Each structure stands twice: as C-alpha cells, then as structure tokens.
C-alpha cells in the first residue's frame, strides 16, 4: 500500500500491465485470491443437511455443504484419488458425493467412506483420502471462504466492519435482484469504479437528485487490511444540482411521501429533508415493524454506507437494503471477469432501491441468479453508468 501511495505522490500512474498481464494475474492468484477471505453464497441457499452449492473462484471450484449439525463446511471440489472434478451440478442436495470417474464416495463432512477395491490399496486408503478442507465462516448471512490454511479469522480480517454490520439485520435479507454479467475487462477496473463518488454527477446525474456527492461532505475512511468506507449523505439533492432544477427532486419527494411527510412543507428549506426523514423514520419505525432502526444511528437511517471489502467486494448498505457488487476473476484471462450486481432487501421500500435496481421493483420476492453477456440487457438506470 505504501508503495502505491508513493507512486501516486510522485505523479507516476500504475502500470497498465496490472490489468492485462497473465504474469500479474498469476501473482494475484498466489498472493491475493488464495490468501484472503472471499464472500460467496448465502447460507440460506443451502438450508438442509446435504444441500450444496459450487462457487467458482478463478481456477478453483469450491464445494459448500450444509452439515448434519447445521454448520456449513467448504471443500475443494476435487476427488482425492486422481484429481477429478467431484461434483458437476452447480447446486443440489446429496446424502454423499460419488466421484464420476472411479466411484469413490465422500460423506457431506468430507470423509472418504468408500473406495472401489479398497483391498488393492496399501493401508486404509479412506483414512488419508478425505476431501481437502477450505476455511469457512458464516457472517451477515453469507458464507465466506479462505484458501489459506494459516489464515487469520474472518473477524480479525474484517476488523471494525464486523461490528458495524451487526447493526443491520443482514442475516434476514432477501435477494430481489441477481444479475451477473460476463465482462470484457479485468476485475480491478470494476472495483476501482466503486471506490469513489467523483464520477457521480457525470455517470449518474440522477444520483445527485438524491445524494450529496461533494467530497467536502463525503466521509472517507481507510480501514485495516485493505478495506474502506465511504458515507454518502442521502435524502436530499446535491449542491451541484443544475441551475433551474428544483432542489426538491421527485426522488426525494417520493421518500418524504413514504414516510408521511409533505414535500411542499420543505419549499425553501430543501436541505432539511434528510434530517426530517431521520426523525420520521425513528418515530414510525416500531409501528412499521422496523424495530432494528433503534440500533441505527441517525446517519444510518438515511445515508448509504459504501464498504469496500478487499479484494473484490463492495456493499452499499442503506437502512433497508444492500447493493451487492462483486467481481470474480476469470480462470485464465486477465481481461475477463464476472460482475455480480445483486440487491438484497431487509426493510422498507426506499428511493435508493428504486435507483439501483433494474426496474425499481421493490417486491420482496427471492429471485434466481441470471447470467448474461455484457450489453445484453440493462442493469438499471444507475448501474448502466458504471458498466
């Protein structure tokens, strides 16, 4: 990190090979992807013992399985006999996993329970043929994995993010948008975009009708281990809204109506809408079944807290939902990746959700993942400007 800052201070740009080089990609694999905690599936995607999902991370296929004791375990999806891919279907439920090559069987806890012609092998082959375990922790309703056998705990890695996210009911979220895009670019280009709000008035002019983009009013914090936070004030229009445009925008007015406030009451004092929404949300929270609001700060009731979680995940969290932004590396090509743009809801409808989802639909209904090619369809009015 210090070297990167030194380059920036010296006016030297980062080299383009970081985004195109196969050698640099290989170095990332050895030093980043296999050494850090990575967010994967939702734990409730595999509710019953034997339920599993595969997660493709670069060149590795990770098998994530619900256990008999309700815990979750993760393994390399590799038979320990000849290195064959063990499970081929991306998700399902199995009492055990049988290799399609020589019929070796592995229980859901990874232990080898059957070897064809076991007597023809030296010693008890099952005792030394268990699936290779991958470190695995459930947090915020997600399953996180780490391929480093000597890794620190997830809590140690996340640092203060662990405690800050505890205020939100993230384990109760429902995924209401799940579009994954095959992108013709390096994964870091996507993450770099989500590190700042500098592009907001140009790429997302509709965004400044609901959020203050000024760096003077945006909180930026660098956390340990490569993580970061950007807090954007919402529920009011930005100072740089074009001349002649009403400072009481339609999207702010919509949130005022949702919370039983009259927009015309704020004529001439449009910068007060954010504070008014904070007070009203706190006053009406209990009767609307939003008791968790009591554990949120006033800022958390209106603002977007954008977390960058090293290396490849960003989460824009508001009082009622989470925009999930993840870039997954291609197995072999540094100039391709998968971009996941998903939305999870856990509270009330909001203008933020209407801006960052495809059609603004805020029906709380779980959707299945849809994988598309870049340019095949819209990602929504805001995210189209990013991609």
């Amino acid at each position: 990190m210090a070297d990167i800052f030194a380059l920036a201070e010296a006016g030297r740009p980062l080299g383009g090979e970081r985004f195109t080089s196969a050698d640099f990609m290989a170095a990332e694999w050895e030093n980043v992807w296999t050494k850090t905690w990575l967010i994967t599936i939702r734990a409730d995607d595999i509710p019953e013992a034997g339920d599993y999902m595969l997660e493709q991370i670069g060149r590795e296929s990770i098998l994530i399985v619900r256990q008999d004791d309700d815990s979750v375990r993760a393994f390399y999806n590799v038979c320990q006999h000849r290195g064959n891919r063990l499970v081929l279907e991306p998700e399902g439920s199995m009492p055990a996993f049988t290799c399609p090559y020589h019929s070796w069987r592995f229980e859901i806890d990874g232990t080898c329970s059957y070897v064809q012609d076991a007597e023809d092998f030296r010693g008890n082959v099952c005792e030394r043929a268990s699936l290779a375990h991958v470190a695995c922790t459930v947090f915020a309703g997600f399953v996180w994995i780490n391929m480093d056998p000597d890794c620190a705990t997830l809590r140690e890695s996340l640092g203060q993010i662990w405690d800050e996210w505890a205020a939100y009911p993230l384990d109760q979220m429902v995924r209401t948008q799940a579009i994954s895009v095959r992108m013709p670019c390096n994964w870091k280009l996507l993450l770099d975009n989500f590190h700042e709000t500098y592009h907001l008035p140009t790429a997302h002019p509709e965004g400044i009708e609901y959020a203050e983009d000024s760096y003077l009013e945006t909180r930026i914090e660098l956390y340990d281990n490569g993580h970061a936070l950007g807090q954007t004030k919402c529920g009011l229009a930005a100072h740089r809204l074009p001349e002649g445009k009403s400072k009481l925008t339609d999207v702010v007015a919509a949130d005022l109506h949702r919370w039983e406030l009259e927009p015309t009451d704020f004529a001439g004092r449009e910068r007060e809408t954010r504070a008014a929404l904070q007070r009203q949300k706190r006053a009406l929270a209990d009767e609307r079944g939003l008791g968790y609001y009591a554990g949120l700060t006033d800022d958390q009731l209106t603002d977007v807290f954008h977390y960058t979680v090293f290396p490849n995940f960003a989460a824009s969290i508001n009082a009622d939902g989470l925009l999930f932004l993840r870039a997954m590396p291609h197995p072999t090509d540094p100039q391709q990746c998968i971009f996941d743009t998903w939305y999870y809801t856990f509270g009330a409808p909001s203008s933020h959700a209407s801006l960052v989802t495809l059609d603004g639909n805020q029906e709380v209904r779980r959707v299945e993942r849809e994988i598309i090619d870049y340019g095949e369809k819209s990602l929504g009015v805001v995210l189209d400007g990013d991609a």
Side-chain angles (χ1 to χ4, degrees):
M1 186 69 73
D3 291 341
I4 293 175
F5 288 147
L7 286 172
E9 290 169 359
R12 294 172 57 192
L14 298 178
E17 70 276 1
R18 292 170 175 266
F19 304 93
T20 61
S21 165
D23 289 341
F24 196 87
M25 181 185 193
E28 285 181 335
W29 180 257
E30 295 301 325
N31 297 285
V32 177
W33 298 107
T34 60
K35 296 292 191 295
T36 53
W37 283 97
L38 304 171
I39 192 168
T40 65
I41 69 170
R42 292 287 292 176
D44 58 15
D45 286 335
I46 49 171
E48 304 294 334
D51 290 354
Y52 73 88
M53 291 190 74
L54 300 180
E55 188 80 345
Q56 188 70 34
I57 301 171
R59 68 184 70 165
E60 289 290 355
S61 175
I62 306 298
L63 173 63
I64 304 170
V65 190
R66 178 71 68 175
Q67 301 296 299
D68 287 325
D69 63 0
D70 203 39
S71 64
V72 176
R73 299 189 70 181
F75 311 94
Y76 290 101
N77 183 24
V78 178
C79 176
Q80 297 302 290
H81 178 213
R82 296 286 294 276
N84 201 61
R85 184 64 57 89
L86 178 63
V87 180
L88 303 179
E89 292 299 321
E91 60 184 280
S93 187
M94 298 289 289
F97 302 102
T98 300
C99 179
Y101 193 14
H102 295 108
S103 295
W104 286 32
R105 185 173 64 241
F106 301 87
E107 301 303 309
I108 62 174
D109 66 358
T111 58
C112 180
S113 58
Y114 171 77
V115 171
Q116 180 176 287
D117 299 330
E119 69 280 1
D120 196 36
F121 290 82
R122 183 176 299 173
N124 188 337
V125 66
C126 282
E127 288 185 352
R128 59 181 188 271
S130 295
L131 296 180
H133 175 70
V134 177
C136 174
T137 299
V138 176
F139 170 66
F142 292 99
V143 179
W144 304 66
I145 67 99
N146 194 319
M147 290 179 264
D148 182 0
D150 300 316
C151 63
T153 65
L154 176 63
R155 185 165 192 166
E156 290 170 327
S157 175
L158 291 180
Q160 63 202 86
I161 290 177
W162 182 284
D163 295 320
E164 291 175 11
W165 285 13
Y168 304 94
L170 302 183
D171 58 341
Q172 301 173 25
M173 298 190 298
V174 177
R175 189 174 70 185
T176 56
Q177 175 170 296
I179 302 174
S180 296
V181 189
R182 301 181 189 94
M183 295 292 293
C185 67
N186 185 268
W187 66 274
K188 294 187 294 298
L189 287 174
L190 291 170
L191 266 293
D192 287 350
N193 173 76
F194 297 116
H195 287 330
E196 41 86 358
T197 58
Y198 189 51
H199 66 288
L200 193 63
T202 305
H204 309 304
E206 63 286 330
I208 62 174
E209 297 185 10
Y210 184 69
E212 178 55 72
D213 71 297
S214 171
Y215 66 92
L216 296 173
E217 296 192 41
T218 300
R219 172 188 167 201
I220 301 290
E221 289 193 32
L222 299 180
Y223 290 174
D224 291 338
N225 301 322
H227 312 313
L229 167 66
Q231 177 190 342
T232 301
K233 294 180 180 179
C234 295
L236 77 178
H239 281 297
R240 83 168 81 229
L241 204 66
E243 289 292 330
K245 189 170 184 63
S246 172
K247 299 296 183 182
L248 188 61
T249 61
D250 290 344
V251 68
V252 172
D255 256 6
L256 292 172
H257 280 304
R258 287 187 183 98
W259 290 97
E260 301 177 21
L261 293 169
E262 177 51 54
T264 56
D265 291 344
F266 295 90
R269 53 190 189 95
E270 292 85 358
R271 296 294 293 183
E272 298 178 23
T273 53
R274 174 173 174 264
L277 283 166
Q278 291 170 353
R279 291 190 296 270
Q280 190 75 338
K281 285 185 172 186
R282 203 165 295 287
L284 299 181
D286 285 344
E287 68 181 68
R288 295 193 178 189
L290 301 167
Y292 68 90
Y293 275 14
L296 301 182
T297 66
D298 286 347
D299 286 358
Q300 287 174 318
L301 289 174
T302 53
D303 299 349
V304 168
F305 286 72
H306 183 81
Y307 291 89
T308 301
V309 181
F310 184 83
N312 68 323
F313 176 56
S316 286
I317 305 178
N318 64 82
D320 303 291
L322 179 151
L323 177 62
F324 178 107
L325 303 165
R326 183 179 65 166
M328 299 295 277
H330 189 273
T332 59
D333 188 346
Q335 298 187 70
Q336 294 187 55
C337 68
I338 294 288
F339 173 40
D340 298 317
T341 168
W342 304 346
Y343 194 83
Y344 291 88
T345 186
F346 51 79
S350 71
S351 289
H352 178 259
S354 67
L355 284 169
V356 299
T357 53
L358 176 58
D359 55 11
N361 179 17
Q362 300 193 53
E363 179 184 358
V364 181
R365 178 178 57 85
R366 185 184 185 279
V367 299
E368 297 300 321
R369 184 185 191 188
E370 178 185 9
I371 302 177
I372 65 172
D373 291 322
Y374 174 66
E376 183 176 330
K377 64 182 290 187
S378 172
L379 303 180
V381 64
V382 169
L383 289 172
D384 279 347
D386 291 312

